[in-house]
Amino acid sequence: MSPYIPSLSELHQHVTDALIREVGVVDTNRFLNQFRTGYGDDTAEREGLFQGMAVKDMFNGMKARRTGEASTDRRTPS
């Protein structure tokens, strides 16, 4: 006798139900979102966002945001 092998959708539903019982709906969604693929090209987006900036400039911008100072970077939205 061969064992029953559930379909992927049945398995997904069973595991999701178990997670919801154990950790709740919100944490189940947080956990499952780790494995979902996003969209777009993060590398190209970062290259465009930080084009022409030195690491020192990025660091100073982060430091200014933490201390609440106004940024001098022209690409920062107002």
Side-chain angles (χ1 to χ4, degrees), residues 38-47:
Y39 57 92
D41 186 343
D42 292 341
T43 302
E45 190 175 318
R46 275 191 306 275
E47 286 174 355

PDB file of all heavy atoms in Angstrom, residues 38-47:
ATOM      1  N   GLY A  38       9.577  39.165  -4.683  1.00  0.00           N
ATOM      2  CA  GLY A  38       9.132  40.526  -4.936  1.00  0.00           C
ATOM      3  C   GLY A  38       9.095  40.800  -6.431  1.00  0.00           C
ATOM      4  O   GLY A  38       9.026  39.885  -7.252  1.00  0.00           O
ATOM      5  N   TYR A  39       9.167  42.043  -6.770  1.00  0.00           N
ATOM      6  CA  TYR A  39       9.153  42.419  -8.174  1.00  0.00           C
ATOM      7  C   TYR A  39      10.139  43.559  -8.372  1.00  0.00           C
ATOM      8  O   TYR A  39      10.552  44.210  -7.424  1.00  0.00           O
ATOM      9  CB  TYR A  39       7.746  42.839  -8.621  1.00  0.00           C
ATOM     10  CG  TYR A  39       7.174  43.963  -7.805  1.00  0.00           C
ATOM     11  CD1 TYR A  39       7.349  45.281  -8.187  1.00  0.00           C
ATOM     12  CD2 TYR A  39       6.466  43.716  -6.640  1.00  0.00           C
ATOM     13  CE1 TYR A  39       6.837  46.321  -7.428  1.00  0.00           C
ATOM     14  CE2 TYR A  39       5.945  44.738  -5.878  1.00  0.00           C
ATOM     15  CZ  TYR A  39       6.133  46.044  -6.285  1.00  0.00           C
ATOM     16  OH  TYR A  39       5.627  47.071  -5.530  1.00  0.00           O
ATOM     17  N   GLY A  40      10.525  43.782  -9.593  1.00  0.00           N
ATOM     18  CA  GLY A  40      11.457  44.851  -9.907  1.00  0.00           C
ATOM     19  C   GLY A  40      12.896  44.372  -9.851  1.00  0.00           C
ATOM     20  O   GLY A  40      13.189  43.199  -9.640  1.00  0.00           O
ATOM     21  N   ASP A  41      13.795  45.305 -10.035  1.00  0.00           N
ATOM     22  CA  ASP A  41      15.226  45.026 -10.047  1.00  0.00           C
ATOM     23  C   ASP A  41      15.877  45.872  -8.962  1.00  0.00           C
ATOM     24  O   ASP A  41      16.188  47.052  -9.172  1.00  0.00           O
ATOM     25  CB  ASP A  41      15.804  45.345 -11.427  1.00  0.00           C
ATOM     26  CG  ASP A  41      17.258  44.957 -11.573  1.00  0.00           C
ATOM     27  OD1 ASP A  41      17.937  44.741 -10.542  1.00  0.00           O
ATOM     28  OD2 ASP A  41      17.738  44.886 -12.710  1.00  0.00           O
ATOM     29  N   ASP A  42      16.061  45.280  -7.787  1.00  0.00           N
ATOM     30  CA  ASP A  42      16.619  46.007  -6.650  1.00  0.00           C
ATOM     31  C   ASP A  42      18.008  46.557  -6.939  1.00  0.00           C
ATOM     32  O   ASP A  42      18.345  47.671  -6.520  1.00  0.00           O
ATOM     33  CB  ASP A  42      16.701  45.108  -5.411  1.00  0.00           C
ATOM     34  CG  ASP A  42      15.339  44.745  -4.855  1.00  0.00           C
ATOM     35  OD1 ASP A  42      14.358  45.452  -5.187  1.00  0.00           O
ATOM     36  OD2 ASP A  42      15.255  43.782  -4.081  1.00  0.00           O
ATOM     37  N   THR A  43      18.809  45.801  -7.665  1.00  0.00           N
ATOM     38  CA  THR A  43      20.174  46.244  -7.955  1.00  0.00           C
ATOM     39  C   THR A  43      20.165  47.499  -8.811  1.00  0.00           C
ATOM     40  O   THR A  43      20.848  48.484  -8.504  1.00  0.00           O
ATOM     41  CB  THR A  43      20.964  45.118  -8.656  1.00  0.00           C
ATOM     42  OG1 THR A  43      20.963  43.971  -7.806  1.00  0.00           O
ATOM     43  CG2 THR A  43      22.390  45.541  -8.939  1.00  0.00           C
ATOM     44  N   ALA A  44      19.386  47.509  -9.872  1.00  0.00           N
ATOM     45  CA  ALA A  44      19.301  48.684 -10.746  1.00  0.00           C
ATOM     46  C   ALA A  44      18.725  49.872  -9.987  1.00  0.00           C
ATOM     47  O   ALA A  44      19.172  51.014 -10.161  1.00  0.00           O
ATOM     48  CB  ALA A  44      18.448  48.367 -11.971  1.00  0.00           C
ATOM     49  N   GLU A  45      17.738  49.618  -9.133  1.00  0.00           N
ATOM     50  CA  GLU A  45      17.130  50.698  -8.364  1.00  0.00           C
ATOM     51  C   GLU A  45      18.142  51.339  -7.415  1.00  0.00           C
ATOM     52  O   GLU A  45      18.234  52.563  -7.318  1.00  0.00           O
ATOM     53  CB  GLU A  45      15.945  50.145  -7.573  1.00  0.00           C
ATOM     54  CG  GLU A  45      15.092  51.203  -6.925  1.00  0.00           C
ATOM     55  CD  GLU A  45      13.866  50.607  -6.255  1.00  0.00           C
ATOM     56  OE1 GLU A  45      13.234  49.711  -6.853  1.00  0.00           O
ATOM     57  OE2 GLU A  45      13.557  51.031  -5.139  1.00  0.00           O
ATOM     58  N   ARG A  46      18.923  50.506  -6.724  1.00  0.00           N
ATOM     59  CA  ARG A  46      19.956  51.038  -5.821  1.00  0.00           C
ATOM     60  C   ARG A  46      21.023  51.808  -6.582  1.00  0.00           C
ATOM     61  O   ARG A  46      21.473  52.862  -6.139  1.00  0.00           O
ATOM     62  CB  ARG A  46      20.610  49.897  -5.026  1.00  0.00           C
ATOM     63  CG  ARG A  46      19.865  49.514  -3.781  1.00  0.00           C
ATOM     64  CD  ARG A  46      20.701  48.580  -2.913  1.00  0.00           C
ATOM     65  NE  ARG A  46      21.183  47.405  -3.627  1.00  0.00           N
ATOM     66  CZ  ARG A  46      20.495  46.277  -3.788  1.00  0.00           C
ATOM     67  NH1 ARG A  46      19.293  46.158  -3.293  1.00  0.00           N
ATOM     68  NH2 ARG A  46      21.016  45.256  -4.448  1.00  0.00           N
ATOM     69  N   GLU A  47      21.432  51.258  -7.732  1.00  0.00           N
ATOM     70  CA  GLU A  47      22.444  51.947  -8.530  1.00  0.00           C
ATOM     71  C   GLU A  47      21.965  53.323  -8.958  1.00  0.00           C
ATOM     72  O   GLU A  47      22.710  54.292  -8.911  1.00  0.00           O
ATOM     73  CB  GLU A  47      22.833  51.105  -9.748  1.00  0.00           C
ATOM     74  CG  GLU A  47      23.691  49.920  -9.399  1.00  0.00           C
ATOM     75  CD  GLU A  47      23.952  49.005 -10.578  1.00  0.00           C
ATOM     76  OE1 GLU A  47      23.385  49.230 -11.678  1.00  0.00           O
ATOM     77  OE2 GLU A  47      24.724  48.046 -10.403  1.00  0.00           O
TER      78      GLU A  47
END
